[in-house]
Amino acid sequence: MALLEVRNLRTTFRTEDGLVTAVNGLSYAIEAGSTLGIVGESGSGKSVNALSIMRLIQKPGKIEAGEILLNGENLLTKSESEMRHIRGNEIAMIFQDPMTSLNPVLTVGEQIAEAVELHLDLNKRDAMIKTIDMLKLVRIPSPEQRVKDYPHQFSGGMRQRVMIAMALSCEPKVLIADEPTTALDVTIQAQIIELMKEMQERTDAAIIMITHDLGVVAEVCENVLVMYGGNMVEYGTAIQIFDDPKMPYTQGLLSSLPRVDANERERLVPIKGQPPNLLRLPPGCAFAPRCAYRMPMCDEPVPLYDFGDGHVARCFLYDEAAKDQRPIEVPTAPRVSLSDVAATPQALAERHQ
């Protein structure tokens, strides 16, 4: 049984213009000790998926359907008091912007200790000792003094370390990292990624890495889920996704990716068009309006096609019935070796030693 399993999740937001379907029938699973990368353009539903797992969707948002199973128990049936115990204790989240996630009028020590007191049932003194140990673990210098500092007294990279310390203080089974390195320079990014990998080895936590950076995915993720229009369009191991992408959208993401082996004059190839309007999703494939291989049958609901070894993609190009409709031959996927992907400076240095 998977540690965390999402089944047919549907999350919507009611607006003045109509119903926005942010997550539309999403399903996937993750095992303990593994790392799943979730990638896609802005608006593809990555963060809403994470907030749905945490049960942090606020009105006018609503989880309309589906199941979120943690060790076989459906989180959508839990009361709010039960979820307060689960959040931080069993599932924790590192948010995208630590400055807006940390309380500016409380010291970082008070904020971490509050979570430790609540979930580990420690007194204030022991909770602060645990807090200092966590700051030491994430390599914040002079943790005994820095627990008394406020968020604005930390750099961006140090604030992200504080968020990681807070998320890991109760040793959760599942850690959701929502763009944890987006606002950081590449050197700090490498340190944060290495820190998360060390934490995972120590606690055997499952990590869901939400990012738009395919270099980060190549560096840390065993499996990759590609989202578009609120749903999964391709899933497989990192090697399968980078070496043999099937879905034209995944191929487009890889074609627009800087590579360390590319000619310096070689231009990146952007994906034409705009992401879909979630108020009015196309009836069939959400990517069809932007796809060079669009066929009449793409206006129908698209099933997942299985390519073996867990690699699946949602595309009619691989349907036998599409032979007479294809405008051209099935495209040759861009071959992108993991070692060719521009990832962290540390990874690049190791690859070129």
Side-chain angles (χ1 to χ4, degrees):
M1 181 172 60
L3 174 60
L4 178 72
E5 187 174 2
V6 175
R7 296 179 182 172
N8 299 313
L9 180 65
R10 176 180 166 86
T11 303
T12 61
F13 292 82
R14 193 165 295 280
T15 70
E16 292 181 357
D17 295 325
L19 195 67
V20 173
T21 306
V23 176
N24 190 20
L26 181 64
S27 298
Y28 63 90
I30 183 170
E31 306 284 344
S34 64
T35 303
L36 172 67
I38 299 182
V39 300
E41 293 171 288
S42 296
S44 61
K46 304 185 302 295
S47 294
V48 174
N49 159 57
L51 292 173
S52 298
I53 293 172
M54 297 291 290
R55 287 271 306 274
L56 291 175
I57 297 294
Q58 302 292 323
K59 290 185 178 180
K62 183 181 180 182
I63 299 175
E64 296 275 1
E67 294 178 303
I68 301 170
L69 305 176
L70 179 66
N71 281 328
E73 295 187 13
N74 189 0
L75 299 183
L76 300 185
T77 64
K78 302 290 184 183
S79 66
E80 184 54 36
S81 62
E82 288 175 316
M83 282 304 303
R84 278 196 294 270
H85 175 75
I86 291 171
R87 291 189 204 107
N89 199 33
E90 297 187 58
I91 303 180
M93 185 167 175
I94 302 171
F95 292 92
Q96 187 168 350
D97 184 359
M99 198 59 195
T100 58
S101 303
L102 293 168
N103 191 326
V105 300
L106 294 177
T107 66
V108 297
E110 290 171 326
Q111 295 182 62
I112 298 174
E114 181 182 20
V116 171
E117 284 182 58
L118 175 65
H119 294 297
L120 300 185
D121 195 25
L122 299 178
N123 59 38
K124 289 186 179 295
R125 180 179 175 279
D126 290 341
M128 190 54 69
I129 292 173
K130 173 74 172 178
T131 297
I132 292 171
D133 288 342
M134 291 304 301
L135 292 183
K136 193 178 299 181
L137 199 63
V138 297
R139 303 194 191 98
I140 290 182
S142 306
E144 295 84 359
Q145 283 74 46
R146 303 236 63 184
V147 289
K148 304 171 187 176
D149 289 344
Y150 292 88
H152 73 272
Q153 295 174 283
F154 289 77
S155 67
M158 286 297 172
R159 280 196 295 267
Q160 196 62 283
R161 290 171 189 261
V162 170
M163 290 296 296
I164 293 173
M166 186 182 299
L168 295 174
S169 60
C170 301
E171 299 195 356
K173 298 172 184 174
V174 179
L175 176 65
I176 302 172
D178 187 3
E179 303 275 10
T181 60
T182 296
L184 306 178
D185 64 66
V186 289
T187 304
I188 302 302
Q189 181 185 92
Q191 295 173 2
I192 294 297
I193 289 173
E194 189 61 33
L195 178 61
M196 291 179 65
K197 289 164 70 175
E198 288 178 10
M199 296 296 102
Q200 184 180 42
E201 290 174 4
R202 195 174 68 85
T203 63
D204 199 36
I207 295 179
I208 297 175
M209 177 75 74
I210 297 171
T211 182
H212 65 276
D213 190 337
L214 289 170
V216 172
V217 170
E219 181 68 20
V220 301
C221 300
E222 292 97 351
N223 298 303
V224 182
L225 187 158
V226 184
M227 287 189 70
Y228 188 83
N231 206 347
M232 176 175 71
V233 294
E234 188 160 359
Y235 178 91
T237 65
I239 293 174
Q240 289 168 340
I241 296 298
F242 282 89
D243 286 359
D244 190 20
K246 299 296 185 182
M247 172 70 183
Y249 176 63
T250 309
Q251 296 172 10
L253 290 178
L254 292 171
S255 296
S256 62
L257 177 68
R259 292 166 53 182
V260 296
D261 67 333
N263 186 306
E264 61 182 22
R265 294 185 178 181
E266 197 172 308
R267 285 182 174 270
L268 299 179
V269 182
I271 301 175
K272 296 180 180 180
Q274 297 296 323
N277 183 345
L278 298 180
L279 278 167
R280 289 173 288 276
L281 284 169
C285 176
F287 186 62
R290 305 171 69 183
C291 184
Y293 313 109
R294 183 175 185 172
M295 302 173 288
M297 66 191 303
C298 293
D299 292 331
E300 304 169 12
V302 190
L304 283 171
Y305 291 87
D306 191 342
F307 301 96
D309 297 324
H311 188 188
V312 295
R314 199 180 298 276
C315 185
F316 277 129
L317 280 172
Y318 307 97
D319 194 306
E320 286 297 316
K323 285 184 176 179
D324 297 332
Q325 295 191 28
R326 290 177 188 146
I328 57 173
E329 290 298 313
V330 176
T332 301
R335 304 288 170 173
V336 183
S337 167
L338 290 185
S339 61
D340 294 335
V341 178
T344 62
Q346 181 180 8
L348 295 179
E350 290 174 354
R351 289 170 187 155
H352 290 281
Q353 281 179 350

